[in-house]
Amino acid sequence: MKKVIFSLVAIIGLGIATNNAKAQSSMKIGVFDIDQMVSAMPEMKDVQVKMQSYQKDTLGGERDQLSTLLENQQNTYKADSSAKKSQAILDYDRKQLGDLYSKLVNWQQYVQQASQNKYGELTQGMYTKAAAAFKKVVAAQKITLVLKPDVIQYADDKQIVNLFIPVAKELGVDLKSEDAAAAGK
C-alpha cells in the first residue's frame, strides 16, 4: 500500500513539474515604460509649450500677486502699528501677514504640485491612448509579464520582447525622430 501511495505522489509530482516547465518555457516577458512612450509621442511638444506658458503666465502671475499682497499687508501692519490701533486689529494684521509669509515660504511646493496637476491634465488623453495601444500589442503578442526596462538586469533575449517599437507603430509615432529615439533607449 505504501508503494502505491508513493507511486501516486511521484506521478502527481512529476506531472506538476512538467506543467511548470511547460508554463515557464511558454512565458513571454515584455519590456515597456508608458512614461517613455508618452514622452516620445508628437503631442508632447504641444504639452511642453502649454506647460511653459502655464508656469510663466499663470503661476508667475500668482507669484506676483502674492508678493503684492505681502507688501500691502506689511504696509497695513506698519500703518496700524504707528496709528496705535487696537490689539485685535494688530493681531489680525499679524495673522494675515503670517499667512502670506507661510504661502511664500511654501511657494516652491505649491508650484511643484500645481505643475504636476496641470501636466496630468494635459497628458491624460495621451496616457489613455498609449495604454490602449499597449494592451492591444500585449494581447496580439501573447505577452505573459511586462516589466519596466530598468527592472531587468539579465534575461534571456529569446523570452524578452521590447514592446516600445510595436506600441510606437500602433500609435503612429515616428521612431526616427531624435526625441522618440531617446525615449526608446
Side-chain angles (χ1 to χ4, degrees), residues 127-154:
Y127 274 96
T128 302
K129 185 177 170 183
F134 166 74
K135 287 177 185 177
K136 187 176 179 180
V137 168
V138 166
Q141 294 196 14
K142 296 179 174 77
I143 302 295
T144 311
L145 177 68
V146 178
L147 301 171
K148 283 194 167 194
D150 56 346
V151 173
I152 296 179
Q153 293 178 355
Y154 172 79

Side-chain angles (χ1 to χ4, degrees), residues 73-122:
Q73 189 60 40
Q74 286 172 333
N75 292 337
T76 300
Y77 180 73
K78 286 178 185 176
D80 288 350
S81 291
S82 296
K84 303 212 186 269
K85 298 253 178 154
S86 71
Q87 190 61 38
I89 291 175
L90 292 176
D91 288 344
Y92 175 79
D93 288 346
R94 238 182 272 124
K95 182 186 178 320
Q96 294 293 85
L97 199 54
D99 290 346
L100 291 170
Y101 273 127
S102 178
K103 281 184 181 180
L104 190 61
V105 167
N106 296 317
W107 182 252
Q108 194 61 34
Q109 282 181 311
Y110 171 76
V111 167
Q112 186 176 9
Q113 185 64 43
S115 294
Q116 286 174 350
N117 291 343
K118 186 67 171 180
Y119 180 82
E121 176 186 311
L122 293 173

Side-chain angles (χ1 to χ4, degrees), residues 146-179:
V146 178
L147 301 171
K148 283 194 167 194
D150 56 346
V151 173
I152 296 179
Q153 293 178 355
Y154 172 79
D156 182 11
D157 288 339
K158 294 176 186 173
Q159 288 184 319
I160 303 295
V161 178
N162 181 357
L163 295 173
F164 186 79
I165 295 168
V167 171
K169 285 180 183 175
E170 180 70 29
L171 290 169
V173 173
D174 180 16
L175 295 176
K176 293 176 185 167
S177 72
E178 293 178 26
D179 295 334

